[in-house]
Amino acid sequence: MNFRKLLYATLATASMMLAVSLPSQAVPDPLRCTGYPEPRVFLESQSWWEETPGKSGSEYGHVDVGTCFPSGQTLTGNVSFDVRVVLYDEPGTLSTVELALFGKSSGKIIAKTSNVKATCSGSDPCTMWFHLTGNTALYPLDGRQEFRFHAIVNQPNGKKTMPSTGWQAYLKNGHPRVDYRSSDNFTEGRGWYTNEGYTTARLTTPMPTAPVSGVWTIGVKLAPGSGGRPVSEHFVVVDPCFTCEPESLGTTVKQGAGSFQGNVSIDTRWMSNGPHQLFLRTDAPSTTGSTLSGLLVIPFVVRN
């Protein structure tokens, strides 16, 4: 196993663990998601900008952002996150890592690291960690709001790319309660590129916070986001490794042309008991010969 495989095997095994709530004085483990004041699970959003097969577009690789997130939990005041950013086949420069809250009162950045100026040379993925603490009371509304983590990369052609998240938690800071989404069963990963809008991959059923068994049915929406271009292809895949050499495509549960919204059934009886990862991926070609992909990575545990 080469360094890249070893790195990702280690990270995947750790990050796929289900969230466990430990006393707040425990030291947080940013991959196993233990030691935080509330239950958390490691979620990741990825943005790919790659040359479309048969075209001559730009090739700007992958940018991933992930953190132990308190999905569906109630949060008050300052909340801290250990944010992992991964660059792979990425010629650009990471400039900013930030957290914004979005709801019916538009958006507000509550934590930000600027002037990062990080690059990634060589063929191996580069992993960086950032500690962000945001005061949720700065947002003027309580209730279910959306947390959007961004890792902004400046590309050689002057444009930008970033992954973005649509992850839901509840605020309780003494403000009027106005929920943003109609349901907390909304967990989304987004890819974004300048002038191309968003390409999105969304889970529309509850997060798998307990082990799954038998035939596990989930709801997904794999479609353009705000300002996004028409989708060419969608994927629901279990346990791929797109950064391994050779690349491992995992097990494809669903693949098809265009957008898709509906239920997908996953037969977990052919899987080993233990941790796994679910990848939801949406591809949208641009007019410049490249394809923007948005991915959401969700951990789950099989117990048959």
Side-chain angles (χ1 to χ4, degrees), residues 53-68:
K55 303 292 184 179
S56 56
S58 52
E59 181 82 28
Y60 290 154
H62 304 180
V63 186
D64 311 341
V65 64
T67 192
C68 291

Side-chain angles (χ1 to χ4, degrees), residues 3 8 43-44 91 126 151 156 160 177 213 223 233 248 253 256 289 296:
F3 171 79
Y8 269 76
L43 298 176
E44 186 174 67
C126 298
K160 300 179 186 292
R177 173 166 179 162
S213 61
E233 200 165 11
S248 173
V253 177
L296 175 67

Side-chain angles (χ1 to χ4, degrees), residues 64-292:
D64 311 341
V65 64
T67 192
C68 291
F69 185 72
S71 183
Q73 301 298 309
T74 298
L75 307 174
T76 299
N78 288 328
V79 182
S80 293
F81 297 92
D82 299 296
V83 181
R84 187 182 79 184
V85 176
V86 179
L87 305 181
Y88 176 63
D89 282 346
E90 175 56 70
T93 301
L94 177 67
S95 65
T96 304
V97 180
E98 65 185 21
L99 167 59
L101 284 173
F102 273 74
K104 297 296 186 181
S105 183
S106 190
K108 185 175 185 63
I109 296 173
I110 63 169
K112 185 174 185 177
T113 300
S114 302
N115 300 315
V116 177
K117 299 180 181 179
T119 59
C120 184
S121 59
S123 59
D124 288 320
C126 298
T127 301
M128 291 156 273
W129 287 92
F130 301 86
H131 187 79
L132 298 180
T133 298
N135 183 0
T136 63
L138 294 175
Y139 197 72
L141 300 175
D142 281 352
R144 185 171 50 250
Q145 311 301 336
E146 186 163 294
F147 286 66
R148 299 185 183 179
F149 293 88
H150 303 141
I152 303 171
V153 174
N154 298 325
Q155 299 296 357
N157 64 357
K159 296 186 178 181
K160 300 179 186 292
T161 188
M162 71 174 184
S164 178
T165 67
W167 300 343
Q168 315 298 306
Y170 291 81
L171 303 186
K172 189 176 181 180
N173 292 305
H175 300 315
R177 173 166 179 162
V178 182
D179 291 338
Y180 181 32
R181 303 289 182 182
S182 59
S183 169
D184 59 4
N185 292 334
F186 181 109
T187 308
E188 187 166 87
R190 304 169 180 136
W192 181 88
Y193 187 84
T194 301
N195 299 328
E196 301 293 337
Y198 289 91
T199 301
T200 63
R202 182 188 306 173
L203 180 71
T204 61
T205 46
M207 290 285 301
T209 55
V212 299
S213 61
V215 178
W216 176 38
T217 299
I218 60 172
V220 302
K221 182 177 181 181
L222 308 172
S226 176
R229 297 187 181 276
V231 169
S232 59
E233 200 165 11
H234 61 266
F235 305 83
V236 178
V237 183
V238 172
D239 293 339
C241 184
F242 298 112
T243 56
C244 289
E245 288 185 352
E247 181 179 77
S248 173
L249 299 179
T251 300
T252 299
V253 177
K254 180 171 177 53
Q255 177 181 358
S259 300
F260 173 79
Q261 181 173 2
N263 290 335
V264 176
S265 292
I266 302 171
D267 190 348
T268 69
R269 293 170 293 187
W270 55 262
M271 301 181 196
S272 61
N273 284 335
H276 296 271
Q277 283 186 311
L278 174 67
F279 278 65
L280 307 181
R281 172 181 158 192
T282 307
D283 292 354
S286 72
T287 59
T288 61
S290 297
T291 293
L292 175 64

Side-chain angles (χ1 to χ4, degrees), residues 40-62:
R40 299 191 183 194
V41 62
F42 194 94
L43 298 176
E44 186 174 67
S45 176
Q46 301 184 7
S47 180
W48 299 3
W49 182 260
E50 298 182 317
E51 185 179 64
T52 305
K55 303 292 184 179
S56 56
S58 52
E59 181 82 28
Y60 290 154
H62 304 180

